[in-house]
């Protein structure tokens, strides 16, 4: 997949993200759980299909993400995308914010069903998801650091003397790390959705979309990449 096609695919994905965000925002307080579940499922599939498309892209383009603004690459990206733990941190933030806002109602036994109303079991599962995701992120960061330092990507030249850079081996290792990073992003989102009730999942995904859209709009408006 050439860069122009990859850039078009990103813009199509981003427009789809905006559309899904609007649908989820409109339906998140719906009394129809089936509708919410369907929309949440569409959001997850949207990310899944984009990750599959990225797997076909030259890993050099994936890592450099030339379609993104400098602000996105510098402030929001980890291995060419958002950190999976960012989703968990966002869940904690939204849950805490809503819990504080509706504490008087909760003390009276009034349940809202939103992210401020997570059960002890859900909170324990979210904490476990965070611990596991942090460990996997750290492992991937270490592996990418080893690749960038040239570990395991030099080989004897044809004459058996001087060492030569194994470019193909380097690209294969970068591709493997990026694929696992995308898999971790997708796995983290799926697990978060499994833990939450449909209305809670919709609320989290709206917040996640707002964060990604906000970063992009800021970068395009104020950064040197605003002409993209």
């Amino acid at each position: 997949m050439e860069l122009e096609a990859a850039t078009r695919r990103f813009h199509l994905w981003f427009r789809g993200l905006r559309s899904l965000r609007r649908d989820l925002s409109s339906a998140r307080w719906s009394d129809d759980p089936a509708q919410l579940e369907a929309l949440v499922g569409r959001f997850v599939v949207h990310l899944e299909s984009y990750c599959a498309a990225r797997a076909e892209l030259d890993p050099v383009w994936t890592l450099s993400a030339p379609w993104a603004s400098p602000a996105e690459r510098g402030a929001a990206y980890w291995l060419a995308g958002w950190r999976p733990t960012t989703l968990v941190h966002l869940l904690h933030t939204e849950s805490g914010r809503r819990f504080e806002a509706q504490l008087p109602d909760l003390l009276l036994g009034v349940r809202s069903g939103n992210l401020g109303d997570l059960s002890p079991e859900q909170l324990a599962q979210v904490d476990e998801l965070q611990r596991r995701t942090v460990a996997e992120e750290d492992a991937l960061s270490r592996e990418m650091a080893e690749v960038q330092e040239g570990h395991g990507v030099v080989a004897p030249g044809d004459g058996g003397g001087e060492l030569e850079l194994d470019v193909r081996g380097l690209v294969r290792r970068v591709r493997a790390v990026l694929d696992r990073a995308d898999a971790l992003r997708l796995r983290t989102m799926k697990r978060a959705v499994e833990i939450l009730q449909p209305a809670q999942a919709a609320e989290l995904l709206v917040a996640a979309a707002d964060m990604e859209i906000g970063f992009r709009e800021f970068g395009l408006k104020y950064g040197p990449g605003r002409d993209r």
Side-chain angles (χ1 to χ4, degrees), residues 57-224:
L57 184 63
D58 186 322
V60 174
W61 291 127
T62 303
L63 188 59
S64 60
W67 46 82
S69 69
E72 290 171 280
R73 289 193 297 270
Y77 277 14
W78 165 84
L79 299 185
W82 47 270
R83 274 186 178 272
T85 47
T86 300
L87 186 70
V88 186
H89 295 158
L90 189 61
L91 200 167
H92 278 301
T93 300
E94 290 295 305
S95 175
R97 184 172 64 86
R98 292 197 176 276
F99 177 82
E100 290 180 5
Q102 61 203 34
L103 183 57
D105 289 338
L106 290 172
L107 292 175
L108 293 174
V110 179
R111 318 302 294 185
S112 64
N114 64 20
L115 284 176
D117 198 14
L118 297 182
S119 68
E121 181 182 1
Q122 285 178 307
L123 290 170
Q125 290 175 322
V126 170
D127 287 342
E128 173 59 28
L129 175 62
Q130 181 170 7
R131 285 192 294 270
R132 188 167 63 246
T133 305
V134 166
E136 293 187 63
E137 278 184 0
D138 288 346
L140 285 170
S141 293
R142 286 194 299 271
E143 185 170 355
M144 182 59 83
E146 290 178 358
V147 173
Q148 292 172 330
E149 290 167 5
H151 295 180
V153 293
V154 291
D158 293 337
E162 294 183 359
L163 295 178
E164 295 180 354
L165 182 65
D166 178 9
V167 176
R168 290 184 179 180
L170 175 65
V171 171
R172 280 196 301 270
R173 290 189 64 186
V174 170
R175 170 81 281 154
V177 174
L178 293 176
D179 285 349
R180 290 202 293 279
D182 271 351
L184 180 57
R185 276 183 272 270
L186 185 59
R187 192 162 61 249
T188 302
M189 178 175 287
K190 286 182 174 180
R191 180 56 186 145
V193 166
E194 288 174 359
I195 293 170
L196 302 174
Q197 296 297 317
Q200 294 169 336
E203 196 172 2
L204 173 63
L205 295 181
V206 167
D210 283 344
M211 180 181 64
E212 184 142 8
I213 292 168
F215 260 118
R216 180 149 186 83
E217 289 180 345
F218 177 85
L220 293 178
K221 184 175 182 179
Y222 296 106

